DNA sequence: TACTCGATCGGA
DNA sequence: CCGATCGAGTAA
């Protein structure tokens, strides 16, 4: 049921598909023996050098170097001199792209999220693996496509009308997941619900 | 080295 | 609406 996602899994798709796929997955922070887990509810995709909203549009620099690595590593940077932003690098090597984790269940806002989970730049370039203290798990939460809202990314007007208008921000409301109905539907199809499993898929 | 400007947030 | 706060990127 709770399956640890391997870094390699984030090398298979581009950032838009990866972003959609991360909705409903669980962000797991392990620090000093304390484990915190939150369902990912809000993400944004940043797609390569052509995407003028993506830091990689500046090319390969000290800061963007991590995005050129194979997916499955964290890209954490400081924004406005105040807030740490958490991204997951996606895609194969030399295709600089990432997914910004903007929100989790109960926490809206990328800055608040990193503060709450004690995430900072010391995790930059670390693997999304339990060893690093920050990884992703699949708890079988199913987010129906109709529940996903695609809207323009936040705070990227500087990227110009074309790239700022891309609807690459994806959100869903976990409260609207009718898990009981899904279970019923599943039972009707001949599956038996497992105790403690939320929307097993 | 000297600028400018943020993938934000909280408080007037 | 505005200030905080600092590092990346750019120009020089």
């Amino acid at each position: 049921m709770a399956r640890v996602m391997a870094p390699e899994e984030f090398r298979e798709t581009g950032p838009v598909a990866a972003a959609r796929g991360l909705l409903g997955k669980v962000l797991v922070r392990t620090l000093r023996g304390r484990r915190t887990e939150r369902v990912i509810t809000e993400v944004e995709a940043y797609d390569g050098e052509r995407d003028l909203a993506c830091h990689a549009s500046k090319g390969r620099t000290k800061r963007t170097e991590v995005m050129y690595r194979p997916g499955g590593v964290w890209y954490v940077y400081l924004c406005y001199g105040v807030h740490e932003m958490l991204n997951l690098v996606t895609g194969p090597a030399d295709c600089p792209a990432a997914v910004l984790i903007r929100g989790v269940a109960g926490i809206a806002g990328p800055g608040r999220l990193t503060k709450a989970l004690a995430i900072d730049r010391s995790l930059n370039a670390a693997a999304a693996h339990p060893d690093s203290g920050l990884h992703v798990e699949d708890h079988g939460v199913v987010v129906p496509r109709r529940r996903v809202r695609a809207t323009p990314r936040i705070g990227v007007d500087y990227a110009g009308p074309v790239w700022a208008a891309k609807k690459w921000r994806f959100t869903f409301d976990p409260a609207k997941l009718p898990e009981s109905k899904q279970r019923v539907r599943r039972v009707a199809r001949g599956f038996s619900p497992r105790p403690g499993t939320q929307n097993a898929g």
Side-chain angles (χ1 to χ4, degrees):
Chain A
M1 33 173 305
R3 185 180 68 83
V4 174
M5 296 193 71
E8 294 77 22
E9 295 182 62
F10 303 108
R11 297 170 192 168
E12 296 164 7
T13 60
V16 175
R20 283 181 170 279
L22 278 169
L23 289 180
K25 298 297 189 298
V26 178
L27 185 65
V28 183
R29 177 72 167 129
T30 312
L31 184 62
R32 294 187 289 271
R34 278 278 185 281
R35 179 186 157 110
T36 309
E37 49 180 53
R38 299 270 188 168
V39 173
I40 297 169
T41 56
E42 180 181 355
V43 293
E44 281 177 3
Y46 289 85
D47 189 15
E49 294 179 346
R50 63 184 186 130
D51 177 4
L52 297 184
C54 181
H55 290 165
S57 64
K58 303 289 185 184
R60 198 187 278 259
T61 69
K62 197 144 203 170
R63 180 167 68 158
T64 63
E65 176 63 30
V66 63
M67 276 198 280
Y68 287 79
R69 296 177 50 174
V73 296
W74 300 111
Y75 166 41
V76 187
Y77 70 92
L78 187 66
C79 188
Y80 294 100
V82 179
H83 307 286
E84 310 278 342
M85 299 283 122
L86 174 65
N87 300 254
L88 183 57
V89 175
T90 70
D94 300 316
C95 293
V99 176
L100 171 65
I101 314 293
R102 284 192 64 91
V104 294
I107 307 175
R112 297 192 193 105
L113 155 58
T114 54
K115 186 179 180 186
L117 298 188
I119 293 165
D120 61 30
R121 282 161 291 169
S122 66
L123 281 163
N124 187 50
H129 184 280
D131 289 348
S132 72
L134 186 64
H135 70 278
V136 179
E137 292 183 1
D138 184 350
H139 288 203
V141 175
V142 174
V143 183
R145 220 174 157 82
R146 42 168 290 120
R147 289 291 179 205
V148 178
R149 265 195 246 305
T151 55
R153 294 171 290 182
I154 303 294
V156 297
D157 287 350
Y158 62 83
V162 173
W163 294 99
K166 300 281 183 189
K167 295 181 176 176
W168 286 349
R169 170 177 176 247
F170 303 103
T171 59
F172 85 101
D173 183 354
K176 287 183 181 171
L177 285 189
E179 58 172 282
S180 55
K181 284 184 186 175
Q182 288 196 4
R183 185 162 44 225
V184 168
R185 229 177 278 137
R186 230 155 268 260
V187 170
R189 283 188 205 153
F191 290 90
S192 59
R194 287 176 293 177
T197 303
Q198 199 183 169
N199 302 326

